[in-house]
Amino acid sequence: MIFFFLFCFFGAVHSASEVHRLHYIYTAFSKPASQPGMYQFTAMGILDDRPIDIYNSKGQEKIPLQEWMKDNNGKDYWEKGTHSRRSKEQWFNVNVNILIERMRQNKSDLHTLQWMHGCEATKRADGTMKFLKGFDQYGYDGKDFLSFDNKDAVWVATEAQAEPTKKKWDNVGILSQYTKGYLETDCVDWLQKFTGYQEKQDKEHGYSLKPKVYVFGKKSTKSDHRTLVCLATGFYPKDVEVTILRNDVELKENDGVVSSGVRPNGDRPGKWLSETFQLRKTLEIMASDPAKYSCKVQHRSLPEPIHEIWDGKCCNCSPGSTGGIIAGVLVGLAVLVGVGAVVLYKLFKRRQAIPLEGISVGSGPLENQPLAGEEPTSTPNGSLGSNDSGLPENQPLAGEAGGQ
């Protein structure tokens, strides 16, 4: 029954959009973590919800987490990445202590400073990427602290203690220009390159898994309505097209179709092809609607689309209804791990949560770029200093090096 409720009430979050995402997260603790598998500093890169590289304060080496990252980036790339992350580890260690002083906190307590940045883009027919949005934000002790407004190229303080940093960084015009340029151009270039590496290896090794498709009804918030659900799950790679049809006519978002977007299932532990994906589309319909509803799924693993017709049954729509419950349990078993992974991931992105098992996320492709962007080989015009922080010489996140 637990599986059933997880399945039936896990709602859609945002509209469908075939996008790719590259982002990085750094996490620094104010003192060594006491739990096994957690480190005082950790950084990881993530492509489309899949970790691609990692660094921690114990190993102090940036290493690949995907075969295609290892095969397509040479020794120089990883050496520069290691140097950059060691530099950032020092930067974070200094600044987490400055923030503790600024907020008049007890140094014996454990405090956390995090940074997440990256970009999202759509893939054009010719294989190039079109920028959608960029994000660059800092969190402190699990709360939003400072973020970059990519549209207006200004920093936004969400805590009063972040105001001194906002003012300093806004006064460095080249820093905002550089951050905006990285998010809109450099990040997208690396996103295109990395997805290209991954897709090439997938094709060469035949990595492709067919989706399983389920169509069912569930109880709506309106007593005279039902929620029709079309779920495709267990497929790889992530690009998929799912369509709800009414009397064989395709329905769109303006017809009321809502999509969860493509999400990771978090399954297949221990295998190189470490996880599959799922996508769910829903539609509110009248309980008395006599139309024929169906679901069509297209994926590169399929010689032809899967077309499943809804049998009109509804899970949990009336007392004593067992058929829907059984179906819900079976499908819930298939997606339970994915639901949990997605919920935790959403919470992490929203609240900058501390990662588990030493996995925080961070650092990017342009080696040695300042902290406000990500690892370029040199700072623009040499005007941001040489401390690899992306800020005026020796400027820490919380203000001047001595703290305020």
Side-chain angles (χ1 to χ4, degrees):
M1 187 65 69
I2 294 175
F3 298 117
F4 165 72
F5 283 112
L6 279 173
F7 178 71
C8 282
F9 296 105
F10 186 71
V13 175
H14 52 78
S15 301
S17 179
E18 293 302 332
V19 303
H20 290 279
R21 174 187 176 103
L22 174 65
H23 71 283
Y24 299 86
I25 304 174
Y26 298 75
T27 298
F29 296 112
S30 58
K31 60 182 182 179
S34 59
Q35 296 183 7
M38 296 184 71
Y39 307 99
Q40 188 166 0
F41 179 80
T42 311
M44 181 188 286
I46 293 181
L47 176 71
D48 291 340
D49 302 309
R50 175 166 296 177
I52 59 175
D53 61 55
I54 193 168
Y55 171 98
N56 63 56
S57 52
K58 181 179 180 180
Q60 292 194 320
E61 182 180 6
K62 180 179 177 180
I63 59 175
L65 294 177
Q66 299 294 334
E67 288 294 329
W68 49 265
M69 282 291 289
K70 179 181 178 181
D71 294 342
N72 290 281
N73 294 292
K75 182 179 179 180
D76 185 60
Y77 173 87
W78 299 107
E79 288 180 348
K80 287 183 177 179
T82 294
H83 174 77
S84 174
R85 292 195 176 182
R86 287 177 181 173
S87 176
K88 289 181 176 64
E89 179 180 355
Q90 295 175 3
W91 190 95
F92 270 82
N93 290 340
V94 169
N95 281 279
V96 71
N97 285 304
I98 290 174
L99 287 174
I100 290 173
E101 293 182 5
R102 171 166 290 183
M103 297 191 179
R104 295 186 172 90
Q105 294 174 321
N106 191 333
K107 288 190 175 182
S108 63
D109 295 333
L110 183 67
H111 299 281
T112 312
L113 175 61
Q114 291 181 299
W115 173 42
M116 179 173 71
H117 68 94
C119 58
E120 289 186 357
T122 55
K123 188 176 180 180
R124 299 186 180 97
D126 62 359
T128 60
M129 294 285 183
K130 179 183 178 182
F131 173 80
L132 288 180
K133 67 178 180 179
F135 43 93
D136 192 318
Q137 57 199 81
Y138 296 84
Y140 181 70
D141 281 353
K143 296 182 179 180
D144 294 338
F145 182 78
L146 187 71
S147 62
F148 184 69
D149 182 336
N150 191 69
K151 181 180 178 181
D152 296 326
V154 295
W155 294 91
V156 179
T158 50
E159 292 282 341
Q161 291 85 352
E163 285 293 340
T165 306
K166 167 189 161 49
K167 292 177 181 178
K168 278 184 175 295
W169 289 10
D170 280 343
N171 287 333
V172 184
I174 195 169
L175 173 60
S176 296
Q177 294 170 19
Y178 193 80
T179 302
K180 182 178 177 67
Y182 167 76
L183 297 176
E184 295 183 356
T185 304
D186 298 328
C187 179
V188 176
D189 289 343
W190 282 100
L191 174 57
Q192 178 178 330
K193 181 176 293 188
F194 287 163
T195 54
Y197 293 159
Q198 182 178 12
E199 290 171 1
K200 179 183 178 182
Q201 181 158 304
D202 289 346
K203 291 178 181 178
E204 290 176 349
H205 293 80
Y207 291 125
S208 181
L209 294 175
K210 296 180 180 180
K212 296 178 179 66
V213 181
Y214 303 90
V215 188
F216 61 96
K218 69 175 185 178
K219 188 175 182 179
S220 172
T221 55
K222 302 177 182 178
S223 60
D224 58 346
H225 281 67
R226 299 290 181 263
T227 301
L228 178 67
V229 180
C230 175
L231 171 72
T233 186
F235 56 87
Y236 182 88
K238 68 178 292 185
D239 294 330
V240 70
E241 185 175 339
V242 176
T243 308
I244 293 179
L245 301 93
R246 183 178 190 274
N247 292 331
D248 296 324
V249 177
E250 295 187 1
L251 302 179
K252 307 293 184 182
E253 289 185 7
N254 55 12
D255 296 311
V257 176
V258 178
S259 173
S260 65
V262 177
R263 297 168 169 175
N265 273 324
D267 53 359
R268 301 174 63 81
K271 298 185 179 181
W272 180 86
L273 183 55
S274 57
E275 62 187 7
T276 60
F277 296 90
Q278 62 171 281
L279 185 146
R280 169 190 302 223
K281 288 197 174 181
T282 58
L283 176 69
E284 294 290 313
I285 62 174
M286 292 289 295
S288 58
D289 189 344
K292 180 184 75 173
Y293 285 91
S294 59
C295 177
K296 183 173 69 174
V297 176
Q298 300 182 70
H299 187 260
R300 74 170 64 171
S301 64
L302 301 171
E304 59 183 27
I306 295 177
H307 193 182
E308 292 287 339
I309 299 175
W310 180 39
D311 60 9
K313 295 181 180 180
C314 182
C315 74
N316 200 34
C317 288
S318 59
S321 174
T322 58
I325 292 178
I326 293 173
V329 171
L330 293 176
V331 179
L333 285 169
V335 301
L336 175 63
V337 176
V339 169
V342 171
V343 169
L344 290 174
Y345 180 66
K346 293 293 183 182
L347 288 174
F348 171 76
K349 289 198 296 182
R350 186 172 69 248
R351 299 301 304 161
Q352 301 280 12
I354 298 173
L356 302 177
E357 299 302 327
I359 296 182
S360 76
V361 194
S363 197
L366 296 180
E367 301 310 330
N368 301 320
Q369 169 172 340
L371 184 60
E374 179 56 27
E375 303 174 331
T377 54
S378 61
T379 53
N381 301 322
S383 59
L384 293 183
S386 57
N387 62 333
D388 191 38
S389 69
L391 312 175
E393 189 70 27
N394 298 323
Q395 177 178 332
L397 175 66
E400 294 300 340
Q404 294 180 357

